[in-house]
């Protein structure tokens, strides 16, 4: 098992890793829309947070030798399912023609009052 870390994404806020790989599989921790340079949620609401969460995930994937085109599965946690349509538009823009499997659920709350958290499973 190999632990992956990059300073281009927020540091883990607890006893976990940004990502772990084993036998070519890469599992990321959930990423909020935290700007790693400020340690705060990206200002501007859901869309800004979702874009920042994906930027954080891209940085983590790249630290392990992968990118969005290697992602097989994503899980998205939304504070408000009303953001589902905007989420789809952002995913289409950021991932292009790549269409990994995805689960999206609404949750009661996310850390820091975030609007979205995303994790990914990829092949490195």
């Amino acid at each position: 098992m190999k632990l992956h870390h990059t300073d281009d994404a927020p540091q883990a806020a607890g006893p976990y890793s940004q990502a772990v790989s084993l036998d070519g599989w890469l599992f990321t921790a959930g990423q909020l829309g935290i700007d790693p340079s400020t340690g705060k949620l990206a200002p501007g609401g859901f869309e800004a947070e979702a874009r920042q969460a994906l930027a954080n995930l891209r940085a983590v994937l790249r630290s392990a030798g992968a990118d969005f085109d290697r992602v097989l599965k994503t899980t998205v946690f939304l504070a408000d399912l009303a953001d589902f349509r905007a989420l789809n538009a952002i995913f289409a823009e950021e991932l292009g023609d790549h269409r990994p499997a995805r689960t999206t659920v609404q949750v009661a709350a996310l850390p820091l009052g975030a609007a979205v958290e995303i994790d990914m499973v990829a092949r490195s």
Side-chain angles (χ1 to χ4, degrees):
M1 180 172 72
K2 182 175 180 183
L3 307 179
H4 300 276
H5 169 81
T6 177
D7 290 333
D8 295 329
Q11 304 311 301
Y16 60 89
S17 299
Q18 290 173 328
V20 177
S21 63
L22 180 68
D23 296 333
W25 290 98
L26 177 66
F27 300 86
T28 74
Q31 287 289 325
L32 301 174
I34 295 174
D35 180 334
S37 67
T38 66
K40 297 182 188 229
L41 290 171
F46 173 79
E47 290 189 25
E49 286 186 40
R51 289 181 193 286
Q52 183 65 58
L54 288 170
N56 295 341
L57 284 161
R58 176 169 263 152
V60 171
L61 290 169
R62 286 181 174 169
S63 77
D67 208 329
F68 287 154
D69 64 341
R70 305 289 296 163
V71 173
L72 301 170
K73 172 79 167 74
T74 67
T75 305
V76 180
F77 304 92
L78 297 177
D80 187 347
L81 206 51
D83 291 321
F84 188 76
R85 181 174 287 193
L87 174 74
N88 282 338
I90 292 166
F91 259 70
E93 181 181 319
E94 297 291 331
L95 276 70
D97 292 332
H98 186 61
R99 299 286 187 258
R102 187 178 84 197
T103 300
T104 305
V105 295
Q106 180 173 318
V107 296
L110 290 166
L112 304 177
V116 60
E117 181 173 359
I118 306 168
D119 69 33
M120 295 181 163
V121 176
R123 290 290 284 175
S124 53

